Amino acid sequence: MGWAIALHGGAGDISPSIPPERRQPREAALRHCLQIGVDALKAQKSPLDVVELVVRELENNPHFNAGKGSVLTTEGTVEMEACIMDGKTKKCGAVSGLTTVVNAISLARVVMEKTPHIYLAFDGAEKFAREQGLETVDSSHFITPANIERLKQFKEANRVQIDCAQPVEKDVKKETPTGDGDSPIGTVGCVAVDNDGNLAAATSTGGFVNKMVGRIGDTPIIGAGTYANNLCAVSATGRGEAIIRGTVARDVAALMEFKGLSLKDAAACVVEERVPRDNVGLVAVSAKGEVTMPFNTTGMYRASATEDGYTEFGIWPSVEN
Ligand code: ASP
């Protein structure tokens, strides 16, 4: 038993020919954020504090689809969502439809800690953020030129709602017109466990490019994109509609709980057998300090570290240490 941490910056059809100027900042951010998380765990911060800290950092980085850098709705607006869960207490908080809150993950935590509820969305969530004194800014803060261009391309090709409503075939998905060899999806997430086996999970996203206004994905849905209990913590990424149908994060925990599977086997079973190919990736840690980061997409930006000195960074299936 020891501490462990894993984080992701989104799974999808990430081309091996992605230009270095798009790849390197993300890799650097993953390394930086992993270090922040490791330092926090070593400093005995709670897993809940660690996952919030790391996800805030990823939200503030415009190279990921969360916070600043969130992809745009069909109307060119941002609607951000996030979820956080404490494995020990099973307390959780979730938010959707945010347009001005700088760190959605911190609002999710405040919902968890300061309301009798779990999930706030749209105007109510925005109002609560102001009442609680969370940092808010004009919506334009979150909108990057790259995402304006992405939306333009998707609109021209009339894409996304079709992707989400139908099973995704690889040849169909390859048509996705991102124009830069990059995936349009890139949610962020972090899971952590401390030396005492306490677990936490956090996930944050802008959703999908050209999503309908009001669309809610898997990220804030407890048990779909995010889940933690006394056995494991899971943060998923990919096509939200497929992840919700697959109850991905909870199924990992349920396979451990009811079938006695190891973390690795449970996560592999969910990713390989329960969700169609090209749809999902996840990062997970167990109470024993194990880590797994499977995906059935072309790639997933990911990083992990454990107390025994193991670290891993990767995008595609071949692991880069
Ligand atoms: N799962 C997210 C969503 O469907 C997208 C992502 O993971 O990049 O909103």
Side-chain angles (χ1 to χ4, degrees), residues 8 10-11 65 81 164 184-188 203 205-208 211 215-220 236-241 243:
H8 69 77
N65 172 18
E81 45 194 7
C164 294
I185 53 178
T187 291
V188 303
T203 318
T205 190
F208 264 101
K211 67 180 180 181
R215 179 262 189 185
I216 291 171
D218 60 297
T219 296
T237 171
R239 245 160 244 282
E241 285 68 13
I243 295 169

Side-chain angles (χ1 to χ4, degrees), residues 137-311:
V137 289
D138 189 84
S139 262
S140 57
H141 162 84
F142 302 102
I143 300 176
T144 62
N147 280 327
I148 292 172
E149 179 58 27
R150 277 204 176 95
L151 178 63
K152 188 168 156 259
Q153 291 178 357
F154 271 72
K155 275 180 171 293
E156 278 166 13
N158 196 22
R159 300 282 302 186
V160 95
Q161 283 88 356
I162 290 170
D163 281 353
C164 294
Q166 295 175 350
V168 179
E169 299 297 332
K170 194 166 174 108
D171 55 339
V172 174
K173 191 161 169 272
K174 280 225 178 277
E175 290 168 14
T176 303
T178 56
D180 57 6
D182 192 6
S183 165
I185 53 178
T187 291
V188 303
C190 181
V191 291
V193 59
D194 67 13
N195 284 309
D196 298 320
N198 297 310
L199 292 138
T203 318
S204 182
T205 190
F208 264 101
V209 187
N210 205 17
K211 67 180 180 181
M212 287 175 69
V213 168
R215 179 262 189 185
I216 291 171
D218 60 297
T219 296
I221 309 288
I222 311 298
T226 310
Y227 190 75
N229 65 5
N230 62 333
L231 295 173
C232 66
V234 182
S235 171
T237 171
R239 245 160 244 282
E241 285 68 13
I243 295 169
I244 293 171
R245 286 185 197 107
T247 51
V248 164
R250 171 59 195 157
D251 268 16
V252 174
L255 285 168
M256 293 177 74
E257 188 175 343
F258 301 130
K259 284 194 93 177
L261 296 195
S262 67
L263 177 79
K264 198 169 178 218
D265 289 349
C269 175
V270 170
V271 167
E272 284 160 26
E273 294 171 31
R274 312 263 310 159
V275 182
R277 237 190 116 56
D278 295 320
N279 277 269
V280 70
L282 63 83
V283 295
V285 292
S286 75
K288 293 182 195 162
E290 300 152 316
V291 178
T292 191
M293 304 191 286
F295 51 96
N296 70 15
T297 50
T298 310
M300 178 170 76
Y301 290 95
R302 62 196 188 277
S304 68
T306 57
E307 187 170 14
D308 59 14
Y310 180 79
T311 57

